[in-house]
Amino acid sequence: MRSWTDTLRFAFQPVVNLATGAVAALEILARPEAGDVLARARREPELDGRLAALALREAARRETLLPLHVNVFAGTLADLGGLRGLRDAVRAAGRLPWEVTVDVGPPFTHVPHRALLEGVAALRDDGFRICADGVGDGDVPLRLLDELAPDLVKLDASLLARTATVRAMRTLCEESGALLAVEGVETERQCAAARDAGAQLAQGDLFAPPARLPVAEVYVPELPGAVRSVRPAGPSVREFVRPAALLPESASAEQVRRLLTGEPEVSGVLLVDGDGVPVRSVQRDRFLLSLSARYGHALYADRPAARLGDRPRTVGVTATAWQVLDVVADGEHRRTADDVAVVDDAGRCVGVVRLTDLVRALAESRVEEAAGLNPLTRLPGSDALTGEVDRWVAQGRGFALSWLDIDGFKQVNDGAGFAAGDALIRSVGQALARTESEAVRVGHIGGDDFLVLAEPERLDPLAAAVLDAPWSAGGRTVTLSLATVVCPPGSVPDHRRAAAELAPLKQAAKALSGASWVCGRAGHEGFEVRRGPGRTAGAPPQEPPRAT
């Protein structure tokens, strides 16, 4: 009688890095040819655990070097704890636990949360990485997601239609140190939406469908118009991590040679100790050159490969691309093109980054940034500021959005000339730029209009910098008008609503003579005149009166 394992097959689907276009890992999917094995596995934790172990053994049989993802139900992990069968399969395959990510999937309802968290902790103590699977399409509670503290969160592609939700999840992942992936991507539009929302990883039939054999080549559409989420300090190194080729520090030169010649896409090998900490770095070209020299193979083949390696260059997973470039610049010139190892808080290798990926991404980010700058003031345009507003909204931060312009600017241009008008705009832009910090963002949205996003407590210094300064153009005295809407956490859903709340305040400020500033609050009628007729410049702000 045939066993259920006789009709069980496995397929591999690539997990793609959206920044580099490279395959970051392979998810192993069970594909029974008959029967209801998967439905039984949902009900029978022992069977589900056995499926995970069999998946790992199948990957070992295919001799792939890529990191792996295996699936288990949340109930299985709560019931079986540390998945001993999976641990044994990893050990037997000669893989390291931190090369394996356990995708914990729904249903989560009725799963004992304490037992689930204990199972996750046991896996994490052994070095396995944890992924929260089916988020947004399943039933994982947000509180449990926070307690799981996954290394990776996978969203269903159906959520891409809700951009604000995906961006909010990206923000949550950033704050917890997790990566964000989108699964089920089938179209180029979905791929573009995933990139725009800030997802670092994706998988789906667009890139490559599940296949019996692991693949290293995938289709990733070129999307030059996509705007990637880039922090001021530069892109995170997590966005560019490639799988690392790892061997134990005792590996011989011949073992390294076989790996390099059998895997042409591997540019180097990291030798790691028993805890997965890199101890030596073997660069492909220099290593093979040493072995190809006269007597090289005879001299080195049976000796430890560590003798032909260098001290590894490492960066933490929280590093930025610019910090990686600093590491490269401080090293030896001959090692400029070497991979840089990315390590976690325990010093274990989670992958490598290549200099070419970083340089390309940083160049693209600079081009995108320059394209969005106003040519007169070199300040970001409205897209950058409104995107930042949406990010603050997603983070649950309170903020103040301000609009500033020059009173009677057409008359300034007509009377003093456009050159004097341009010089005045540049001067105002420079004054605003000097107020910029982590708490203040400034943009020039065109003509004599500026937009400022700031934390509410930064409003008075901002107003003083532009309203209390003397302005003139061609000998003419000029005044400025400032309008501000204060948006407490949760008061507006996005930048569009904030702009709608700001519009009537702008009209009120322009209606006042001289330098003026009016301030209102989202969701409330009326405003407070903080500069202009009826107020003394610099007076402390009062509660907004119910004016119209």
Side-chain angles (χ1 to χ4, degrees):
M1 183 176 177
R2 298 180 73 194
S3 165
W4 62 268
T5 58
D6 295 331
T7 62
L8 183 66
R9 302 291 182 265
F10 289 94
F12 298 86
Q13 185 167 46
V15 179
V16 178
N17 185 315
L18 290 175
T20 65
V23 178
L26 292 172
E27 180 173 353
I28 318 169
L29 304 166
R31 290 289 187 264
E33 295 180 353
D36 60 349
V37 173
L38 296 181
R40 285 176 50 204
R42 184 189 295 255
R43 303 187 301 269
E44 302 174 22
E46 292 287 349
L47 175 58
D48 192 33
R50 189 176 176 192
L51 281 174
L54 288 172
L56 202 289
R57 292 192 178 98
E58 176 68 9
R61 194 168 70 83
R62 299 297 181 184
E63 297 184 342
T64 175
L65 292 174
L66 289 165
L68 304 170
H69 285 242
V70 296
N71 295 281
V72 297
F73 292 110
T76 298
L77 197 50
D79 239 39
L80 301 184
L83 297 178
R84 181 179 299 277
L86 178 62
R87 295 189 221 177
D88 293 343
V90 169
R91 190 179 306 110
R95 299 298 293 257
L96 300 168
W98 39 93
E99 296 179 90
V100 179
T101 298
V102 179
D103 288 9
V104 184
F108 290 87
T109 304
H110 307 309
V111 173
H113 287 183
R114 182 181 296 277
L116 174 59
L117 294 175
E118 288 173 354
V120 167
L123 286 175
R124 189 168 272 135
D125 287 344
D126 283 341
F128 289 94
R129 304 191 183 283
I130 303 298
C131 166
D133 201 358
V135 174
D137 191 45
D139 60 346
V140 55
L142 280 179
R143 186 173 70 85
L144 177 61
L145 184 63
D146 180 62
E147 293 172 339
L148 284 174
D151 303 285
L152 174 66
V153 172
K154 283 187 178 180
L155 298 182
D156 187 83
S158 62
L159 281 181
L160 292 174
R162 301 176 178 87
T163 306
T165 301
V166 181
R167 284 181 175 161
M169 187 57 65
R170 165 64 193 260
T171 299
L172 181 64
C173 288
E174 281 184 343
E175 293 180 352
S176 65
L179 292 176
L180 180 64
V182 177
E183 53 188 351
V185 175
E186 297 179 349
T187 67
E188 294 193 2
R189 178 171 294 189
Q190 288 179 323
C191 181
R195 274 174 157 165
D196 287 349
Q200 296 102 341
L201 303 171
Q203 62 187 110
D205 288 354
L206 173 68
F207 311 108
R212 292 288 301 278
L213 296 176
V215 298
E217 296 292 330
V218 294
Y219 169 72
V220 181
E222 290 291 332
L223 298 169
V227 178
R228 294 183 185 139
S229 179
V230 179
R231 286 184 286 273
S236 168
V237 72
R238 282 176 169 267
E239 298 180 24
F240 308 99
V241 173
R242 291 176 176 264
L246 305 178
L247 285 175
E249 59 182 323
S250 59
S252 68
E254 176 59 19
Q255 288 176 286
V256 172
R257 186 196 68 80
R258 286 200 301 267
L259 192 157
L260 291 175
T261 55
E263 301 286 344
E265 74 278 4
V266 174
S267 57
V269 176
L270 288 172
L271 305 179
V272 297
D273 65 16
D275 294 322
V277 177
V279 293
R280 299 296 283 176
S281 173
V282 180
Q283 198 270 342
R284 180 189 188 89
D285 293 341
R286 291 197 300 275
F287 175 81
L288 294 179
L289 184 63
S290 296
L291 258 64
S292 64
R294 190 176 185 184
Y295 307 123
H297 191 271
L299 284 172
Y300 298 115
D302 295 326
R303 297 189 179 184
R307 295 189 179 185
L308 296 175
D310 298 286
R311 181 175 58 83
R313 297 184 300 187
T314 63
V315 295
V317 291
T318 59
T320 66
W322 290 111
Q323 290 171 323
V324 178
L325 292 185
D326 288 340
V327 171
V328 173
D330 289 341
E332 303 172 57
H333 180 71
R334 70 184 181 92
R335 300 188 62 194
T336 301
D338 287 14
D339 294 344
V340 177
V342 182
V343 298
D344 62 16
D345 292 340
R348 299 177 302 207
C349 180
V350 300
V352 296
V353 290
R354 294 181 180 173
L355 182 63
T356 52
D357 290 338
L358 298 181
V359 171
R360 185 183 303 112
L362 290 172
E364 288 175 357
S365 70
R366 284 291 182 256
V367 169
E368 289 174 359
E369 180 183 340
L373 297 179
N374 186 285
L376 187 60
T377 59
R378 310 304 295 166
L379 289 174
S382 60
D383 286 349
L385 261 292
T386 54
E388 190 76 358
V389 170
D390 286 340
R391 193 167 75 89
W392 285 30
V393 169
Q395 291 174 338
R397 294 173 65 174
F399 62 90
L401 187 63
S402 300
W403 164 88
L404 175 80
D405 86 338
I406 300 168
D407 296 328
F409 183 70
K410 184 179 185 304
Q411 287 72 30
V412 172
N413 259 355
D414 291 345
F418 71 87
D422 285 353
L424 175 60
I425 289 174
R426 277 193 292 268
S427 297
V428 173
Q430 290 166 0
L432 286 171
R434 286 193 288 271
T435 69
E436 277 203 303
S437 66
E438 286 297 317
V440 180
R441 296 282 186 266
V442 177
H444 183 185
I445 60 177
D448 63 321
D449 292 320
F450 296 86
L451 202 61
V452 183
L453 172 66
E455 293 179 351
E457 56 268 25
R458 300 294 302 166
L459 286 175
D460 286 331
L462 168 68
V466 290
L467 297 184
D468 296 344
W471 299 103
S472 64
R476 296 166 172 261
T477 299
V478 175
T479 59
L480 309 181
S481 293
L482 180 66
T484 299
V485 59
V486 177
C487 301
S491 60
V492 293
D494 54 30
H495 72 272
R496 293 179 181 83
R497 184 59 198 169
E501 296 273 358
L502 182 58
L505 301 176
K506 170 183 173 180
Q507 296 176 6
K510 294 296 290 182
L512 300 175
S513 60
S516 60
W517 179 22
V518 300
C519 184
R521 187 180 178 91
H524 292 73
E525 295 181 358
F527 54 84
E528 173 192 3
V529 179
R530 294 193 176 185
R531 294 282 199 285
R535 288 222 29 105
T536 303
Q542 307 293 323
E543 284 296 314
R546 294 291 178 178
T548 58

